């Protein structure tokens, strides 16, 4: 095996993948790594399949940007994780500040899901159907869909996605559910609720946005993964990165390498952990510095597209 994806597949995973975004695809030094299936066998669009991009005004659908990433994956023979259908962020303002009734908002959500899932039918390995619907204490996050529809919006979303494409795997995706605790328990209860409603759920996405030196151990991540797979769903690490306090130091780079390995080992140890996706592979395009002030250098490669210690350690752990 000569790269992350080749090694991951040889070790029994379905893929090792990366997020990307449309503006990055014109950077040839970057795409020369992203399009190499020895390194990356799976692509996730970081933004442009989200609701605000795909239905910027009601019933007006726009897939040009999402298609660009889907076509990149198709051209290179890479799996696509489609991300995401329903999320409180990057939801259009016509959704979040509309005047809705229970019935009209259910209909609008169903129309969005039906249109987008139909558009990408046959192209996605999985859909992140509902993203980040829980608070850290395990309660439901309050936002327009929850406030107007109630918790039923979640099983209704899964039901609509399954009706539009019965073959794609349907995931619930969230952060801070990577170790046992109130939020992980709530996500497990959500799996049961969705199934009890009669809807289908196939997987749980463990985002895994971690901090250098604070990443949970491989065994605590693996035992948590097993709590999900015991419910009859697969799991995937969907957005892995490990951020450091800037400036980047070699001490943090060394710890970061160990932290990345903990998550990769947990997935390898878990039957039905299908793959690992990094939330971009290159520090140049990381979402971290613009989201977490004073933090960054969270990815496997530096801004000059050179592998960091974490790359080497992950490759040898696979
Ligand atoms: C992030 C993107 O990377 C940013 O470019 C954007 O500004 C905000 O969204 N959890 C998710 C992803 O599920 O969709 C988020 O992506 C990161 C957190």
């Amino acid at each position: 095996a000569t790269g992350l994806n080749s090694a991951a597949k040889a070790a029994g995973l379905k893929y090792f993948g990366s997020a990307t975004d449309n503006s990055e695809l014109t950077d040839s030094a970057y795409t020369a790594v992203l399009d190499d299936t020895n390194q990356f066998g799976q692509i996730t669009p970081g933004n442009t399949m989200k609701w605000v991009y795909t239905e910027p005004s009601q019933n007006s659908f726009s897939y040009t940007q999402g298609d660009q990433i889907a076509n990149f994956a198709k051209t290179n023979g890479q799996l696509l994780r489609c991300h995401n259908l329903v999320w409180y962020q990057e939801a259009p303002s016509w959704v979040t500040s509309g005047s809705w009734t229970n019935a009209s908002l259910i209909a609008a959500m169903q129309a969005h899901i039906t249109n987008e899932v139909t558009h990408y039918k046959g192209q996605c390995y999985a859909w992140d159907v509902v993203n980040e619907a829980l608070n850290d204490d395990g309660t439901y996050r309050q936002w327009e869909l929850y406030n107007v529809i109630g918790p039923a919006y979640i099983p209704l979303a899964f039901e609509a996605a399954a009706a539009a494409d019965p073959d794609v795997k349907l995931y619930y995706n969230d952060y801070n559910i990577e170790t046992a605790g109130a939020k992980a328990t709530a996500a497990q209860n959500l799996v049961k609720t969705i199934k009890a409603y009669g809807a289908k759920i196939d997987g749980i996405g463990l985002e895994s946005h971690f901090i250098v030196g604070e990443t949970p151990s491989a065994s605590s991540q693996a035992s948590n993964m097993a709590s999900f797979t015991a419910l009859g769903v697969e799991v995937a690490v969907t957005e892995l990165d490990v951020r450091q306090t800037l400036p980047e130091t070699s001490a943090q780079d060394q710890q970061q390498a160990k932290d990345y390995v903990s998550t990769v080992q947990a997935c390898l140890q878990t039957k039905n952990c299908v793959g690992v996706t990094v939330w971009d592979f290159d520090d140049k395009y990381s979402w971290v510095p613009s989201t977490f002030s004073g933090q960054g250098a969270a990815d496997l490669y530096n801004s000059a597209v050179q592998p960091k210690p974490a790359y080497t350690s992950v490759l040898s752990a696979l």
Side-chain angles (χ1 to χ4, degrees):
T2 54
L4 300 168
N5 182 54
S6 304
K9 289 173 80 168
L13 303 186
K14 287 197 207 301
Y15 60 80
F16 195 101
S18 179
T20 192
D21 213 340
N22 295 67
S23 59
E24 302 166 24
L25 299 180
T26 52
D27 178 341
S28 58
Y30 169 88
T31 57
V33 180
L34 186 67
D35 72 11
D36 177 0
T37 53
N38 280 316
Q39 300 292 11
F40 299 109
Q42 178 272 318
I43 301 289
T44 305
N47 282 300
T48 53
M49 286 187 188
K50 294 170 182 172
W51 201 341
V52 73
Y53 289 91
T54 54
E55 194 181 2
S57 56
Q58 191 171 11
N59 290 320
S60 164
F61 296 95
S62 170
Y63 296 114
T64 313
Q65 292 188 91
D67 287 353
Q68 197 190 351
I69 294 179
N71 290 336
F72 180 93
K74 195 184 302 169
T75 300
N76 297 308
Q78 294 162 313
L79 297 171
L80 189 64
R81 289 195 84 265
C82 291
H83 174 83
N84 54 49
L85 294 167
V86 172
W87 189 28
Y88 75 102
Q89 284 185 25
E90 295 178 88
S93 58
W94 66 263
V95 171
T96 54
S97 52
S99 49
W100 300 107
T101 62
N102 177 283
S104 68
L105 189 52
I106 289 174
M109 180 189 77
Q110 288 170 331
H112 169 66
I113 292 171
T114 301
N115 196 287
E116 181 157 9
V117 174
T118 301
H119 179 83
Y120 288 110
K121 193 169 161 40
Q123 298 188 59
C124 311
Y125 167 74
W127 260 114
D128 289 330
V129 178
V130 176
N131 208 44
E132 302 182 351
L134 296 169
N135 296 314
D136 282 350
D137 67 0
T139 56
Y140 286 105
R141 184 187 295 281
Q142 303 216 355
W143 68 295
E144 194 71 9
L145 267 66
Y146 179 81
N147 296 341
V148 175
I149 302 171
Y153 87 88
I154 298 172
L156 286 168
F158 278 83
E159 191 175 69
D165 183 353
D167 297 323
V168 70
K169 293 200 184 290
L170 303 181
Y171 271 63
Y172 174 74
N173 188 56
D174 211 334
Y175 63 94
N176 289 351
I177 58 167
E178 297 87 357
T179 51
K183 194 172 185 181
T185 301
Q188 287 148 23
N189 289 336
L190 203 49
V191 172
K192 295 176 196 162
T193 301
I194 291 164
K195 291 187 175 192
Y197 191 92
K200 183 184 84 133
I201 176 167
D202 302 294
I204 293 291
L206 305 162
E207 291 186 15
S208 309
H209 293 293
F210 291 133
I211 299 171
V212 162
E214 296 177 29
T215 298
S217 67
S219 61
S220 65
Q221 291 182 65
S223 65
N224 180 64
M225 288 176 182
S227 312
F228 283 103
T229 58
L231 302 175
V233 290
E234 63 182 41
V235 295
V237 175
T238 52
E239 305 186 11
L240 178 61
D241 54 20
V242 183
R243 57 189 186 264
Q244 31 183 298
T245 301
L246 295 173
E248 184 174 11
T249 60
S250 63
Q252 290 187 100
D253 283 344
Q254 298 302 326
Q255 180 61 44
Q256 181 181 55
K258 293 181 191 153
D259 292 337
Y260 264 95
V261 165
S262 296
T263 302
V264 169
Q265 281 177 338
C267 187
L268 290 173
Q269 288 164 14
T270 305
K271 185 172 145 52
N272 295 329
C273 180
V274 297
V276 174
T277 307
V278 291
W279 204 245
D280 232 315
F281 68 86
D282 180 335
D283 287 336
K284 188 173 178 182
Y285 298 119
S286 172
W287 73 305
V288 168
S290 60
T291 309
F292 303 95
S293 171
Q295 299 178 61
D299 292 352
L300 296 174
Y301 289 67
N302 68 20
S303 298
V305 209
Q306 297 304 309
K308 290 158 59 177
Y311 171 88
T312 312
S313 294
V314 167
L315 184 58
S316 51
L318 284 166

